[in-house]
Structures are given as structure tokens and as C-alpha cells.
Amino acid sequence: MSAVSLSCRVCGTEHPLDVVGTCAQCFGPLDPTYDWETLRLTVTRDRIASGPSSIWRYADLLPVEAPAEARLAPGLTPLVPAPRLAAELGVAELWLKLDTANPTHSFKDRVVAVAARKAQEAGLETLSCSSTGNLAGAVAARAAAEGMSAAVFCPADLEPEKLAAAAVYGPTIYAVDGTYDHCSRLSVELSFELDWGFVNVNLRSYYAEGSKTIAYELAEQLGWTLPDVVAIPIASGALYHKVGQGFGELLALGLVDGTPPRLVGGQAEGCAPVATAFRDEQAVAPMRPDTVARSLAIGSPADGDFAVATARHTGGAIHAVPETEIGENMAWLAQTTGVFGETATGVTLGALHAAVEAGEVERDARVVLLVTGDGLKTPQAVAHTFTPVHIAADADAFVDGLVVA
Ligand SMILES: Cc1ncc(COP(=O)(O)O)c(C=O)c1O
Ligand SMILES: [Zn+2]
């Protein structure tokens, strides 16, 4: 394995590759560091191409060993062109990254696969998390696949489809009377008491690295070239920040040439602490979420300030999308591409649209939109599209009716 330590993103203090959430000196987040000199010599396009058809083809760039037997492996999800939506948006080329094709229909399977691997290496038997919905399902399914126990903490009022999609795998679901931020605080406190692997607390350094694989896949699937713009939803900000990091690593390794893609971030207006911080050029200020995009409803985002920094140094932007547009955007995507993304995707498309309108995306740009979660888990947001025409089972009457219409 090429990871050598954990390094504090704030003060740079080095820590061993343990199950540990934050820097012992300053409580900052910890990122794995790698032996880049060796990796520059050993990681080649051919070596990656000869690997498994999953995130584990990039194991050299992850902080855990690839599993000997990869069960339910996520990644290498389809990248499909969306010419009709590109034309309506006014961009030359648009691609959709369908992370709905992962085992539990969201990108969270990537991050959980890496965190669970570390939990196993450390001999932990219970996987846990605080979740806005998708992570609970990913943790529960991974635990089921690996024969581990799962305990997840979710706001009690999440979408019933999301809770059911986690419950079926047999975890203990703790429905918390409060917001995601209450669940998160609770799981941080419990991580000091229990010998559990909390994927987004004491395994967070490993978990977050899983998101880099989206950047690796985009470059590989585009024939080892970089897109100009990638549109990404933001909750904690980890996905957005780590995708930016992933592109930087590919450039540093010489696997691609060019300039890092500009990252367009999306938040829902009812929970936009990162978009607000970007707009006002201030630090992220926590707020109480009130949004239809429940998967993005994090009022106190752990990586919010790092996401703002990523937006600045990639020349990107972060937009807040009006609540009323989220369901409309889900329908717009579905009706122009045949892809049903969840509320988070309605937000991502809204942010991309805003960026195009603001002139932040050139008309000749090659753009990727991340579809990070499945619309079947958030059907209420598009209930307005269900307007069936009630008819009798009578062909003559039907044809007459069509003529009249
Ligand atoms: C579907 C979906 N997209 C995007 C995100 C954002 O991820 P992050 O918390 O890494 O910003 C989430 C987080 O729960 C999600 O469920
Ligand atoms: Zn530190």
C-alpha cells in the first residue's frame, strides 16, 4: 500500500494510519499522504486499465488495500452523453455520470467501501454513521455484504423511501429527534465511547478519499482527458473537495495533461451555508436546514470552508438553487435524458444552469454533471409530473377523443 500517514489539513501534523477522526494538535481534518515518488513511477494508464471494473482499479491511490474478494464493489459507473439537455442548457458537450448505478444507487457506496475496508483492517465489527439518507443505505448494505453489524443515525423525518431502502439490509436504525447536525454531534460523542467504525467520524479520512475515484473515472472514461467543468452537489463539502483533489493528483502523476476542471457546486436555497460563504467571501456560518433536498441538508458542513477554497482555486463557483426549481430540474433532466436523479441532482442541474447563465461556463465547454443519487428514493419531489389522463377501456372512444383533442 502506498499511503504512508495521515496529515492534518490545517497544521500539517503527521499521524499514523489509525482509526482517528481529527488532528490531536488542532482538531483539523486528516488526509492520507502517499509515497508520490513511487506512485509516479508505478501508476500507469495500462496498470489501471488492467485492474478490476470498480473503484479498486485505483487502489494504488487509496489508503487501504484492495479487498482480496471484492463483494458488491462500487464504481466504474456509466458516463453517458446528454445532447438534448446540452442543447437546452446551451453548452457544447454534456455528460452525465450515473452514480445511481452503484449497489445502493448513490455515490456513497464508494466512500463506504473504502471506510469499511479500513474498519476490517482495524478489526472493528460494527459499521456506523450519521446520515442524511443515502449513507445509511450504503453502510447497511456494505455491512450486510461483509457480515458486519450496522447502526445508523438519521433524522426521524427523512423520506420514508430512503429509510426503507436502508432498513431492508437489517441495520439498527436510530431515528433521531432532530436534524442531521444533531445526528452528527451524537455520533461524534459516541465515537469516543464505542468500539465502532463511524464511517464519517473516526474513519472519515479513509471514507472521504473514496470520492476521488469519481475524478479518476471521469478522466479515464474521457480517454485520459479532463472535462472543462464538473457540476457537483454539496452537503458536507467532502465530495466536492475530494473530486478537486483527485483531478490534481492525476495531473501530478502525469496521467493527464491540461488544467484542472472548474468545479460548479450546488446547494439548495433552504440549506446553503457553503454557497453563502462563497458569495459573501466569508467563513461558513452554520444554519438550520429547511429544504426539500434532504440528502444535502447539512447546516454545519465539516468540509464547507475547504469546498469554498476548492471553488476559488479551480475558478469554479457555488450556487444556491431555489427550492421551487429542484423538482422541476429533476423532471427537466428526466425528460431530456431518461435519467431520474434525486433531489440532490435537481440541485446540481440548477447550479449548472445558473453557472451557464452567469457566463461562468463557456458555450464550447465540455461539461460533466454528477448524478449522485436515485430519484426513486425521493419521488415526492416530482409528484407534480404525475397527471394521468383518466379514460374508459374503450378504443373507439379513445380514438374519437384523440381526434377532438
Ligand atoms: C445524493 C447525494 N449527493 C451528494 C451528497 C453530498 O456529499 P458530501 O456530504 O460529501 O458533500 C450527498 C450526501 O449525503 C448525497 O446523498
Ligand atoms: Zn492539526
Side-chain angles (χ1 to χ4, degrees), residues 40-60:
R40 253 188 294 275
L41 299 173
T42 55
V43 179
T44 61
R45 295 175 183 179
D46 284 346
R47 179 172 160 85
I48 290 170
S50 65
S53 300
S54 72
I55 61 166
W56 298 116
R57 69 207 278 108
Y58 311 108
D60 289 334

Side-chain angles (χ1 to χ4, degrees), residues 58-391:
Y58 311 108
D60 289 334
L61 306 175
L62 294 173
V64 293
E65 296 280 2
E69 206 186 306
R71 284 174 283 269
L72 215 66
L76 220 59
T77 55
L79 181 69
V80 298
R84 291 183 56 220
L85 182 55
E88 292 193 15
L89 269 171
V91 296
E93 219 181 294
L94 177 66
W95 296 81
L96 306 178
K97 180 66 169 159
L98 300 184
D99 254 26
T100 48
N102 282 314
T104 67
H105 310 268
S106 90
F107 88 97
K108 295 288 184 180
D109 291 311
R110 297 175 184 271
V111 287
V112 171
V114 180
R117 192 77 196 104
K118 182 67 191 179
Q120 288 173 318
E121 287 176 5
L124 301 175
E125 288 167 6
T126 300
L127 270 193
S128 187
C129 67
S130 51
S131 172
T132 57
N134 286 309
L135 185 58
V139 162
R142 174 57 49 198
E146 305 292 348
M148 302 172 81
S149 299
V152 301
F153 299 87
C154 301
D157 63 349
L158 277 190
E159 300 97 335
E161 293 83 0
K162 281 234 172 82
L163 289 169
V168 69
Y169 301 111
T172 304
I173 297 184
Y174 294 100
V176 178
D177 182 17
T179 65
Y180 170 82
D181 298 288
H182 293 108
C183 300
S184 173
R185 218 166 303 138
L186 175 63
S187 63
V188 170
E189 286 172 25
L190 292 175
S191 72
F192 296 115
E193 307 288 333
L194 303 171
D195 196 17
W196 292 359
F198 289 84
V199 299
N200 49 355
V201 184
N202 53 12
L203 293 166
R204 191 173 178 84
S205 311
Y206 307 92
Y207 158 99
E209 290 279 287
S211 287
K212 297 189 308 183
T213 58
I214 293 183
Y216 305 154
E217 286 178 24
L218 291 178
E220 188 180 0
Q221 290 171 314
L222 291 170
W224 294 109
T225 63
L226 294 175
D228 298 309
V229 173
V230 184
I232 305 173
I234 294 177
S236 76
L239 168 66
Y240 183 88
H241 172 73
K242 287 287 176 175
V243 168
Q245 184 182 319
F247 287 126
E249 291 175 358
L250 294 180
L251 285 161
L253 287 169
L255 290 170
V256 290
D257 297 319
T259 44
R262 274 165 292 128
L263 304 186
V264 170
Q267 294 213 287
E269 212 158 56
C271 181
V274 187
T276 304
F278 177 79
R279 185 196 62 200
D280 297 346
E281 300 188 15
Q282 284 179 352
V284 171
M287 46 87 66
R288 193 182 172 88
D290 180 14
T291 172
V292 65
R294 299 302 306 270
S295 61
L296 303 182
I298 298 184
S300 183
D303 290 303
D305 289 315
F306 299 104
V308 171
T310 298
R312 298 244 181 270
H313 84 244
T314 67
I318 303 174
H319 289 277
V321 176
E323 292 291 324
T324 51
E325 289 181 14
I326 295 171
E328 288 171 16
N329 288 335
M330 291 165 69
W332 186 22
L333 175 72
Q335 291 167 20
T336 51
T337 69
V339 170
F340 186 14
E342 69 146 84
T343 46
T345 306
V347 169
T348 316
L349 177 53
L352 176 59
H353 193 194
V356 173
E357 296 290 303
E360 294 159 359
V361 177
E362 299 84 30
R363 300 282 161 170
D364 64 353
R366 183 164 63 160
V367 181
V368 176
L369 178 93
L370 300 190
V371 181
T372 53
D374 196 318
L376 287 174
K377 293 191 203 174
T378 61
Q380 280 311 315
V382 289
H384 67 281
T385 60
F386 185 57
T387 52
V389 181
H390 290 276
I391 56 164

Side-chain angles (χ1 to χ4, degrees), residues 7-13 15 22-30:
S7 171
C8 176
R9 206 183 292 168
V10 178
C11 76
T13 302
H15 298 67
T22 52
C23 173
Q25 300 298 320
C26 75
F27 301 108
L30 301 171

